[in-house]
Amino acid sequence: MSTRLALIPAAGRGQRLDQINQPKPLVPVGGVPLIVRTLRQLEASGIERAVVVVGYRADEVVRKLAAYPGLKIQVEFVRAEWERGLAASLLAARKSVQEPFVLAMADHVFDDAVIGTVCAAKARGVSMLVDTKPGPDVDLDTAVRVHVDNGVVDGIGQGLEGYNGVDAGLFHATPELFDALDEALRTRDGHVDLSHGLRLLAAKNQVHAIEVSGFWLDVDTPSDLVRAEMWQRAKRRAQQVTHASVATGSSAEPAAVFHTGKSTPTEVLIGRGWVRRPDELHFIPDECASSPIWVITDETVNSIYGAEFVGRLRKIGYDIHLVVTPDGEESKSLQNYNRVVERVLGEGIDERSVIVSLGGGVVCNLAGFIASTLYRGVHLIHFPTTLMAQCDAAISHKQGLNGSRGKNLVGAYYAPTRIVVDVEALSTLEDWRIPDGLSEVVKHALGQDASYFDYLMGYSGKHDDLDFLETVVRKNVELKCEIMAVDPQEKRQGMVLQYGHTMGHPIEFLSSYELSHGQAVGIGMHVAAHVSNLLGGCSDEVVRQHREVIQKYGLPIHIPPHIKVDQILDAARFNKRYLVEGTRMALLSGIGELWQVADEFVIPVPDEVLREALSRSFA
């Protein structure tokens, strides 16, 4: 007769994983509480009744499970004195478990096949799931170690020497296990765990090993929870499509392979006075000297620098054409792109022409995307005139336009030939543009360099002082170039460049651009700190440090009240880091440290965590 009963200990607190104030069994993976996931899997493997032992916040666990939709398995609750340890919790269920049963830990995640294998095991003493090849996800210092000899477990314990496997938290047992646990409680002082009872049975050769043949994870820490979420999302993705069998005689082998592209160096020059005297700087490549040169700027910058910039270059012989676009994010549109491109093509361009951007981030992005698409790519040179552009937008090979549903949805990776940073141009900026650009300074300090953070917190001078601004511009360029050298497409370490942007972009978009990019990123970084804190990735102190440095440099931390949480979540789905499985974010584990889990630098974030973090970010 196959086993029909399961015992699930769900009484412990799991303090290291306490998330949004939820008891550990109710913490979700893939949107489903850990214990519900296990109950569903047991049900699918033929288990008809489950005895769940509750203790810490028992009423909440009982209420959640009793009301959870779709559970057909019969669930019976037993209350235990959870502070006495796992052995005492299990013994509380003794009267309810009078036949062979599956013992499944409520804080583990298993493959369906692993659960099925253990459910189908023979009823003989205890059969335990043993991982004989534990991977890097297993903490061997805290794991229960096991020694297996010819399929029989003859040694078990946390401090076991000479082990060849670890306890994976899933068992097929007979009620004899309760006798062993009772004996362990009577003969031992202090905390008594399951392994103490198993050790007594192992001495009688009554513990057998079932070798792990699939995924399992003890979800004990915030990093474990992230790993479980990554696994679940990857599993869902792999199951999305069923491929048809390949026809006999056909081949999916490539007929040929070719490689394209090469590394393109970009020179970054930093100095003062070059925007007013561009003729004194040899920045246009010699082979381009006779080709049409297109300068793209906006109305504000044109009114300050346009005539002198274009006039000096024409005076020394260049064929300069000027395009002036409206100020603001609206110019980063497909409509404006089309308007400018049609004019450029109509008036003339050749393959050696140069597109020169003269302005802030919007102009840099617009000009960059135009340069990347005309004739499949012409020379691009930036003269960034705002702090935001000098610290971020221009120091990049990302060229993008806004779509109707969000920022930077259309774009390309395309490297400029040169970037000419004139710090003196910052002296003509409107007051709000200094803190706007300092948001990128704060971002690099928080996410990449703790000593830079200390410098910013210790600085007591004026924020518009040119010496200070040149210092932070040079430091930002240095830090950003370091990242782009190792991760140009921002898949790993380069995720630091996206810090604060996952929520910042939709908040900026939903404000109808009343919030500047830097202001929105300031809010986004504050949200990200709360997300990491809720997931257990960073401390309360890190959240406080975010708040202090963001506000010190004149940036907001609160979402405008007219923007709703649901609107932000909807808009965030158009971020490229959002997959069908849900939101992913760059998060910090400490100042200057990206949170990295399982060699991944982008962390999956459940909707309920994101919703809570956003809720905490209103005034």
Side-chain angles (χ1 to χ4, degrees):
M1 180 177 176
S2 60
T3 302
R4 302 293 186 185
L5 175 64
L7 174 58
I8 304 177
R13 180 174 182 180
Q15 189 168 5
R16 290 197 293 170
L17 193 61
D18 202 17
Q19 184 195 77
I20 322 182
N21 202 29
Q22 293 187 89
K24 191 175 184 182
L26 300 183
V27 171
V29 170
V32 178
L34 283 164
I35 191 170
V36 171
R37 174 181 298 279
T38 301
L39 286 168
R40 285 177 173 175
Q41 291 174 307
L42 291 168
E43 181 184 300
S45 296
I47 300 296
E48 297 175 351
R49 183 169 72 98
V51 177
V52 177
V53 182
V54 293
Y56 173 67
R57 293 170 63 174
D59 291 343
E60 187 174 346
V61 176
V62 171
R63 185 170 61 251
K64 182 78 171 183
L65 291 183
Y68 204 88
L71 278 180
K72 297 178 182 178
I73 189 171
Q74 179 186 344
V75 180
E76 175 185 336
F77 298 100
V78 174
R79 295 176 185 261
E81 298 177 28
W82 61 274
E83 298 92 339
R84 296 179 59 200
L86 182 56
S89 294
L90 292 172
L91 280 169
R94 188 171 195 171
K95 291 182 180 180
S96 300
V97 180
Q98 301 286 320
E99 62 188 81
F101 61 95
V102 172
L103 173 59
M105 299 298 133
D107 57 358
H108 284 45
V109 171
F110 302 99
D111 258 338
D112 295 346
V114 172
I115 294 247
T117 298
V118 175
C119 287
K122 294 180 180 179
R124 47 173 186 169
V126 174
S127 295
M128 65 181 298
L129 190 67
V130 177
D131 191 345
T132 57
K133 298 177 181 178
D137 294 345
V138 178
D139 183 353
L140 296 177
D141 292 331
T142 60
V144 175
R145 302 173 181 181
V146 175
H147 185 269
V148 180
D149 183 12
N150 198 27
V152 176
V153 175
D154 57 11
I156 186 168
Q158 279 194 320
L160 185 68
E161 299 290 340
Y163 65 96
N164 57 8
V166 297
D167 168 17
L170 191 61
F171 309 81
H172 192 287
T174 62
E176 294 173 78
L177 176 60
F178 296 120
D179 296 330
L181 292 173
D182 188 42
E183 181 181 347
L185 277 170
R186 284 187 286 104
T187 57
R188 290 184 58 87
D189 293 327
H191 189 89
V192 179
D193 210 337
L194 173 61
S195 61
H196 296 116
L198 291 174
R199 193 177 302 140
L200 294 175
L201 291 175
K204 303 174 185 178
N205 294 325
Q206 292 181 358
V207 181
H208 307 273
I210 301 174
E211 189 168 335
V212 168
S213 59
F215 179 84
W216 75 278
L217 183 64
D218 178 0
V219 184
D220 196 39
T221 67
S223 292
D224 293 333
L225 183 61
V226 170
R227 289 186 179 95
E229 186 73 30
M230 289 176 175
W231 167 76
Q232 171 60 25
R233 294 185 179 193
K235 178 183 175 183
R236 188 184 306 161
R237 195 179 309 132
Q239 292 174 339
Q240 188 74 22
V241 177
T242 301
H243 291 281
S245 299
V246 178
T248 303
S250 67
S251 174
E253 293 296 318
V257 176
F258 68 89
H259 300 272
T260 59
K262 62 180 181 179
S263 176
T264 303
T266 299
E267 297 178 351
V268 183
L269 310 177
I270 302 176
R272 300 191 189 186
W274 288 328
V275 169
R276 292 205 179 274
R277 300 184 300 278
D279 52 321
E280 297 179 6
L281 183 68
H282 187 183
F283 67 93
I284 293 177
D286 288 339
E287 68 270 19
C288 306
S290 61
S291 296
I293 310 297
W294 284 86
V295 175
I296 299 177
T297 189
D298 63 29
E299 292 168 347
T300 296
V301 175
N302 184 57
S303 68
I304 301 171
Y305 301 113
E308 187 172 15
F309 187 87
V310 168
R312 282 178 174 263
L313 292 177
R314 284 174 175 163
K315 190 174 181 179
I316 60 175
Y318 290 114
D319 179 16
I320 302 294
H321 301 255
L322 179 66
V323 175
V324 180
T325 69
D327 294 340
E329 285 283 334
E330 288 75 9
S331 285
K332 270 180 61 173
S333 66
L334 288 168
Q335 293 81 2
N336 194 44
Y337 162 82
N338 185 66
R339 181 185 70 81
V340 176
V341 163
E342 287 299 323
R343 179 179 165 192
V344 171
L345 292 174
E347 293 188 22
I349 190 174
D350 64 35
E351 64 180 5
R352 293 188 178 181
S353 286
V354 181
I355 303 293
V356 178
S357 77
L358 176 64
V362 168
V363 172
C364 289
N365 283 175
L366 174 64
F369 190 63
I370 289 170
S372 74
T373 53
L374 286 176
Y375 288 4
R376 300 186 178 91
V378 296
H379 282 284
L380 170 66
I381 295 174
H382 289 313
F383 274 75
T385 61
T386 66
L387 185 57
M388 173 66 73
Q390 293 183 1
C391 286
D392 181 59
I395 316 301
S396 178
H397 61 177
K398 294 192 300 181
Q399 318 301 340
L401 304 179
N402 300 333
S404 62
R405 297 183 182 274
K407 281 178 62 70
N408 298 331
L409 300 183
V410 180
Y413 289 102
Y414 191 73
T417 303
R418 288 187 180 90
I419 303 165
V420 182
V421 177
D422 181 358
V423 179
E424 195 174 279
L426 303 180
S427 63
T428 62
L429 291 180
E430 299 171 83
D431 290 344
W432 68 270
R433 286 193 176 274
I434 295 297
D436 182 61
L438 287 172
S439 69
E440 292 297 329
V441 173
V442 169
K443 179 192 78 176
H444 279 278
L446 284 171
Q448 199 175 349
D449 191 330
S451 63
Y452 194 18
F453 173 83
D454 291 339
Y455 166 76
L456 293 179
M457 291 305 297
Y459 178 70
S460 58
K462 293 183 177 180
H463 295 168
D464 60 357
D465 179 81
L466 284 185
D467 291 335
F468 167 70
L469 293 176
E470 183 166 346
T471 296
V472 297
V473 166
R474 287 184 181 275
K475 184 63 176 178
N476 258 46
V477 170
E478 172 194 326
L479 291 173
K480 189 161 186 181
C481 288
E482 282 179 10
I483 286 293
M484 290 194 296
V486 297
D487 187 16
Q489 293 199 6
E490 300 172 19
K491 304 291 187 182
R492 295 172 53 75
Q493 299 97 321
M495 281 300 300
V496 71
L497 303 179
Q498 291 296 311
Y499 190 57
H501 287 60
T502 306
M503 290 298 105
H505 275 166
I507 290 169
E508 180 185 0
F509 176 72
L510 290 167
S511 77
S512 299
Y513 301 111
E514 290 182 7
L515 284 172
S516 69
H517 178 66
Q519 290 172 327
V521 168
I523 297 170
M525 289 188 289
H526 194 241
V527 173
H530 278 301
V531 169
S532 182
N533 181 250
L534 287 165
L535 289 174
C538 77
S539 65
D540 293 344
E541 172 67 9
V542 171
V543 178
R544 183 191 65 79
Q545 290 171 308
H546 275 71
R547 182 168 58 251
E548 286 190 358
V549 72
I550 292 168
Q551 290 183 318
K552 175 175 180 176
Y553 285 93
L555 296 163
I557 59 172
H558 294 129
I559 301 169
H562 69 275
I563 299 176
K564 306 305 178 187
V565 169
D566 285 339
Q567 292 176 310
I568 299 171
L569 293 175
D570 287 342
R573 298 178 190 279
F574 295 97
N575 185 292
K576 72 175 181 179
R577 304 296 173 187
Y578 184 92
L579 301 180
V580 292
E581 298 89 355
T583 301
R584 303 180 303 151
M585 294 178 70
L587 299 174
L588 302 187
S589 57
I591 300 301
E593 299 175 6
L594 271 181
W595 189 11
Q596 177 186 354
V597 177
D599 207 32
E600 290 282 346
F601 292 83
V602 57
I603 305 298
V605 181
D607 278 354
E608 59 269 22
V609 173
L610 195 50
R611 185 178 294 277
E612 176 64 20
L614 288 166
S615 298
R616 293 184 181 186
S617 300
F618 287 89

